[in-house]
Amino acid sequence: MNERDALRALAADLPHAGDDAAVVGDTVITTDMLHERTDFPPGTTRYTAGWRAVGASLSDVAAMGAAATAAVAVYADATFEEGDLDRFIAGAVDVCEAVDAEYVGGDLDTHDEFTTASTAVGDVTDAGAVTRSGARPGDALCVTGAWGRSAAALRLFKRDDEEAVERANDLFRFTPRVADGLALADRATAMMDSSDGLARSLHQLAEASEVGFELDRDDLPVHPAVDAVAEGDEAERFELAAHFGEDFELVCALPEEAVDPAREACPGGLTRVGRVVDAADGVTADGDPLPDRGYTHG
């Protein structure tokens, strides 16, 4: 089974699973695991790894419309190199500070490859947690930020060039959209983060909300770094922006009348990229079926 099939199999015993984070009272909690071979290309610094690993969990907090409060992480490696560990912690601390949270510790372990597991917690606001299951036909489909930065970073990591690798590390250090999630908390009818890619996220939202989506390809904001690696190929440009994943932006449905106020309130930027339609219409881009293709564990 892949990750999504495994989650479906668990649904009967874990009815609250399926959103970006679990809600316990007024607290949201989420956890993630990343591995060197699958998540940190050669050239990824330990500082970037600490930032990205903890940032991934903070992004899940953002997707629930909650305020991030704290994070912890497990650092596991074949050996403990003082400089590497210090740099990892520095990245973890800095990404927490970027969203007004605190890095409060974790655990050390040995492993046959560099592996990290991070957990983040947050507080639900008076608006309540935003789940994936509330989108309604007629809502606007919106996204934060710009798309494809992680895909561009991966291309740059593969270049035998110090400047390219430095730029790739910079692109890998995304800012979790906690402030945007808070701005959307009392407006969005459904929301999730885009760690699996835009296309796959739309299919997941469609399944959870029992709706369909129409995406307008030309309206999707593409990160400038994509243009530097796609070399003018429009099909490749869309592929990197919509299907690669790991951008950690927010995907949400909003009532049409809430789009303009939400756009003004989101510091990371908010773009209307389509609309929610009936489930029978499926998930499409410019009228054509949008493949359920993106990042999948397993």
Side-chain angles (χ1 to χ4, degrees):
M1 293 187 292
N2 62 31
E3 182 183 22
R4 288 180 67 189
D5 290 338
L7 285 172
R8 291 189 184 105
L10 292 170
D13 295 323
L14 298 173
H16 298 294
D19 280 300
D20 290 74
V23 182
V24 184
D26 293 327
T27 300
V28 299
I29 183 167
T30 182
T31 191
D32 295 275
M33 181 179 288
L34 286 77
H35 304 274
E36 186 166 28
R37 279 174 286 184
T38 55
D39 298 290
F40 303 121
T44 306
T45 67
R46 283 294 191 266
Y47 177 83
T48 296
W51 180 294
R52 190 169 180 83
V54 174
S57 291
L58 292 169
S59 181
D60 286 334
V61 172
M64 302 299 291
T69 55
V72 297
V74 175
Y75 181 100
D77 208 343
T79 60
F80 296 132
E81 301 292 339
E82 183 176 358
D84 285 348
L85 181 57
D86 287 347
R87 285 185 283 271
F88 178 90
I89 297 300
V93 168
D94 286 351
V95 73
C96 284
E97 290 182 349
V99 297
D100 295 327
E102 186 176 6
Y103 184 75
V104 293
D107 191 24
L108 299 176
D109 201 354
T110 55
H111 202 283
D112 57 3
E113 67 167 328
F114 170 56
T115 297
T116 178
S118 57
T119 297
V121 296
D123 292 332
V124 177
T125 69
D126 291 341
V130 186
T131 68
R132 300 180 181 183
S133 58
R136 302 164 299 197
D139 284 348
L141 170 64
C142 298
V143 299
T144 60
W147 294 67
R149 63 183 292 153
S150 288
L154 193 63
R155 295 282 180 90
L156 293 171
F157 273 124
K158 293 179 179 179
R159 296 182 182 178
D160 187 19
D161 177 88
E162 184 177 341
E163 184 177 343
V165 171
E166 183 177 348
R167 173 62 171 151
N169 274 282
D170 178 63
L171 290 169
F172 252 27
R173 296 192 295 269
F174 65 94
T175 300
R177 300 300 189 190
V178 173
D180 302 84
L182 288 169
L184 292 163
D186 62 350
R187 298 179 171 99
T189 56
M191 186 159 62
M192 67 180 293
D193 96 330
S194 67
S195 55
D196 294 338
L198 176 61
R200 179 142 291 166
S201 296
L202 292 180
H203 280 274
Q204 291 171 328
L205 279 175
E207 182 177 340
S209 290
E210 298 182 343
V211 296
F213 289 98
E214 290 181 356
L215 174 67
D216 299 321
R217 289 171 58 127
D218 290 343
D219 290 337
L220 179 63
V222 179
H223 196 281
V226 172
D227 294 317
V229 299
E231 299 178 347
D233 186 326
E234 285 299 317
E236 183 178 20
R237 186 174 183 266
F238 182 75
E239 177 73 22
L240 296 179
H243 291 286
F244 182 84
E246 301 287 281
D247 284 327
F248 301 100
E249 295 291 351
L250 299 180
V251 186
C252 63
L254 295 166
E256 285 286 357
E257 65 272 15
V259 173
D260 287 340
R263 184 181 292 119
E264 294 177 4
C266 286
L270 187 75
T271 304
R272 189 188 188 282
V273 296
R275 62 208 61 82
V276 184
V277 296
D278 291 331
D281 296 324
V283 179
T284 61
D286 292 350
D288 297 321
L290 182 66
D292 183 1
R293 189 175 68 252
Y295 186 86
T296 300
H297 295 277

